């Protein structure tokens, strides 16, 4: 593994404690992506971050908590744009779904997000806490958020009745497929905006055939 992308978050206006926590997270991200989860020790993270072990453990109880924080922060940054998808397409459900899907698939295809997923896939079977931290901090959060939105749409009669969590999982799964698999495997070319737009448009059409009520507008 040689991808050393880190989570790029501005550090302006942060307190000393917040800056030190950011320092630790960025150091851990570099090591996780460069040498893997299993080969990265808390000692190495402390050295890379330039902090004591006591300081490191004051912020994170272990590697799984640190990895979860890295994943969770990346997802939170992505989540900041979700309300805009709904607001900008308040009366156009298909448009809102397309906007949400394009943002989601573009996020998954980002190099730093790919690097995180590769670490999990490569080492998750040997370190169950890694897979658990990733799932709880990333995919599970997204499913819950989308399910909450879908439940509201069902109450409005804009999606047919059913388990909103199932609908959310199906909607998100439709965005992935061969495009994401090709990106994960590094098979060129990398998906561009036009490909992502086409994949999402087809996914939304399929989803609305299954869950739509004819009141999408």
């Amino acid at each position: 593994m040689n991808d050393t992308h880190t989570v790029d978050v501005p550090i302006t206006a942060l307190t000393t404690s917040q800056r030190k926590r950011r320092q630790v997270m960025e150091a851990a991200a570099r090591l996780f992506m460069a040498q893997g989860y299993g080969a990265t020790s808390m000692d190495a993270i402390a050295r890379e971050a330039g902090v004591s072990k006591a300081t490191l453990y004051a912020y994170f109880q272990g590697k799984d908590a640190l990895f979860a924080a890295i994943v969770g922060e990346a997802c939170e940054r992505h989540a900041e744009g979700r309300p805009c998808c709904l607001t900008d397409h308040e009366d156009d459900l298909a448009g809102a779904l397309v906007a949400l899907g394009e943002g989601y698939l573009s996020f998954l295809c980002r190099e730093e997000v790919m690097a995180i997923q590769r670490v999990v896939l490569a080492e998750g079977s040997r370190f169950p806490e890694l897979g658990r931290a990733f799932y709880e901090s990333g995919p599970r959060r997204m499913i819950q958020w989308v399910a909450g939105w879908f439940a509201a749409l069902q109450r409005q009669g804009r999606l047919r009745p059913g388990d909103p969590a199932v609908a959310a999982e199906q909607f998100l799964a439709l965005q992935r497929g061969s495009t994401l698999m090709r990106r994960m495997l590094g098979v060129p070319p990398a998906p561009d905006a036009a490909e992502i737009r086409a994949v999402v448009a087809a996914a939304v059409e399929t989803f609305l055939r299954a869950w739509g009520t004819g009141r999408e507008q």
Side-chain angles (χ1 to χ4, degrees), residues 63-207:
K63 284 198 300 182
D64 56 339
L66 185 43
F67 193 86
I70 293 169
V71 174
E73 186 171 270
C75 293
E76 285 170 9
R77 290 175 60 211
H78 169 60
E80 291 173 1
R82 291 182 207 153
C84 295
C85 296
L86 312 191
T87 303
D88 293 346
H89 301 275
E90 188 171 358
D91 298 320
D92 177 11
L93 177 55
L97 289 169
V98 167
L100 181 63
E102 287 184 5
Y104 174 66
L105 185 54
S106 297
F107 170 74
L108 291 181
C109 288
R110 282 169 49 183
E111 189 55 45
E112 63 268 33
V113 177
M114 281 284 105
I116 289 172
Q117 293 184 83
R118 288 175 184 133
V119 169
V120 175
L121 290 175
E123 303 191 63
S125 61
R126 290 189 298 129
F127 302 99
E129 74 277 10
L130 175 63
R132 182 171 57 253
F134 174 78
Y135 179 74
E136 294 292 333
S137 300
R140 186 169 182 267
R141 283 189 185 184
M142 186 64 178
I143 292 169
Q144 289 177 329
W145 185 87
V146 175
W149 179 40
F150 283 178
L153 292 172
Q154 288 172 327
R155 290 192 295 270
Q156 297 166 12
R158 299 176 69 190
L159 287 180
R160 72 170 179 79
D163 188 335
V166 171
E169 290 186 17
Q170 291 178 350
F171 173 75
L172 296 173
L174 286 169
Q175 316 304 316
R176 300 190 293 266
S178 62
T179 296
L180 189 63
M181 177 64 72
R182 196 177 73 240
R183 185 77 174 97
M184 179 71 70
L185 297 174
V187 177
D192 58 14
E195 179 179 349
I196 288 175
R197 191 177 306 116
V199 168
V200 171
V204 169
E205 181 180 1
T206 299
F207 177 78

